[in-house]
Amino acid sequence: SSMSRSSNPAALEDVVANASDGRPLPSRPILVTFDDGDPSVLHTAAPRLYARGIPAVMFLITDLIGTDHVLWTTEVVQLVASGGRTTLDPTCDGRALARVLKQSPDPVRRQVIEELRDTASGPRPRARQLSAPEIAGLTQLGMAISSHTMSHPCLPQCTNDVIDREVARSREVLADLVGQPPLAFAYPNGDHDARSRRAVSRAGYAVAFGFDHRLSPAPPQDPYAISRLRINEQASKNRVRTVMSGLHPAIHHLLGRA
């Protein structure tokens, strides 16, 4: 309720119209987005947003839909915790290793994950992901479904053919799933370069979002590099207000913490 008093929720279609045609948005517009597709969004966030008339977007990793696989960064942390080791950095803790792999060439990332799987004790990490019927349930609660790639690699670390496949194939999967192609794309880890921005445009998306913890102008300077604010599940109401005001992002970038 505090959000609705201080800002005006916008739907993805409104943001697309603003980015592509300059159609005006309400004052202090806000678009609520969720990355990765955690099932908690269906059970917790989506019903509450729907009850308040607040539209939102879910960016899905299509390879995870209907599986019990986990996001690769989560898997790295859990494999290291269960004894997985890699020649890339034998002493790294899981979170640090995941950060290193985000900045490594994608074939290196894949090879390291295989090494961790081969050396970890116990079964491969599992967690139930959203199913196709549950995603249909999200759309019935007013949530737009869009793409976060097929497998969540950091696209600037990928070859051109992998970028094209991750961007275009995920769009096709979601079009089949929900009956219409997704309007938007979110770059994994917020990382993008000229190649990935071109691939997103070429695949037919109208807009694409980073993860840079900045307020976006409206219309955005580049519809394929729209800024977003970061708010995690531990954020207090006061922190949410400070982030949305632009104060926290400004200080964050001033201190070089981006």
Side-chain angles (χ1 to χ4, degrees):
S1 59
S2 61
M3 185 184 83
S4 59
R5 284 198 300 271
S6 63
S7 57
N8 292 292
L12 178 59
E13 292 83 358
D14 301 328
V15 173
V16 167
N18 174 260
S20 55
D21 302 325
R23 196 176 306 167
L25 287 166
S27 62
R28 294 184 58 81
I30 183 166
L31 176 68
V32 178
T33 66
F34 298 91
D35 286 6
D36 303 341
D38 191 275
S40 63
V41 175
L42 173 64
H43 306 304
T44 304
R48 296 180 184 185
L49 291 168
Y50 182 70
R52 291 165 174 78
I54 300 172
V57 188
M58 172 72 96
F59 291 105
L60 287 168
I61 303 163
T62 56
D63 279 355
L64 296 184
I65 295 171
T67 73
D68 61 358
H69 300 162
V70 297
L71 183 63
W72 72 262
T73 49
T74 302
E75 184 176 8
V76 164
V77 171
Q78 295 182 3
L79 288 173
V80 170
S82 60
R85 292 294 174 264
T86 170
T87 52
L88 179 72
D89 191 339
T91 61
C92 233
D93 72 81
R95 292 186 186 282
L97 180 58
R99 287 194 295 272
V100 169
L101 293 178
K102 288 178 181 180
Q103 305 304 320
S104 302
D106 200 54
V108 172
R109 177 186 70 91
R110 294 174 187 272
Q111 175 62 37
V112 166
I113 292 172
E114 287 303 322
E115 288 182 8
L116 295 175
R117 289 172 179 167
D118 289 343
T119 54
S121 59
R124 186 172 162 183
R126 303 284 181 187
R128 194 185 69 77
Q129 303 291 342
L130 288 171
S131 66
E134 287 173 326
I135 292 166
L138 281 173
T139 65
Q140 289 161 11
L141 291 171
M143 192 164 286
I145 301 300
S146 282
S147 172
H148 201 32
T149 69
M150 293 172 62
S151 65
H152 205 272
C154 291
L155 294 179
Q157 302 297 336
C158 297
T159 59
N160 290 342
D161 61 326
V162 170
I163 292 172
D164 283 335
R165 186 169 66 248
E166 289 279 343
V167 168
R169 179 60 186 147
S170 59
R171 188 170 187 264
E172 293 167 5
V173 169
L174 293 175
D176 289 343
L177 195 66
V178 300
Q180 59 188 26
L183 289 172
F185 182 89
Y187 301 102
N189 204 49
D191 295 347
H192 54 86
D193 58 4
R195 295 177 306 136
S196 50
R197 291 190 295 274
R198 281 195 301 269
V200 172
S201 173
R202 192 164 55 240
Y205 298 93
V207 292
F209 294 87
F211 198 56
D212 53 352
H213 203 48
R214 292 183 186 274
L215 287 167
S216 175
Q221 293 169 340
D222 182 346
Y224 296 105
I226 301 176
S227 291
R228 280 193 297 170
L229 301 172
R230 295 197 295 260
I231 298 174
N232 65 23
E233 65 271 21
Q234 284 91 36
S236 66
K237 285 184 180 179
N238 280 338
R239 184 177 178 86
V240 171
R241 290 191 193 100
T242 307
V243 167
M244 287 171 51
S245 74
L247 179 61
H248 182 275
I251 294 171
H252 182 84
H253 285 280
L254 186 66
L255 296 178
R257 290 178 183 164

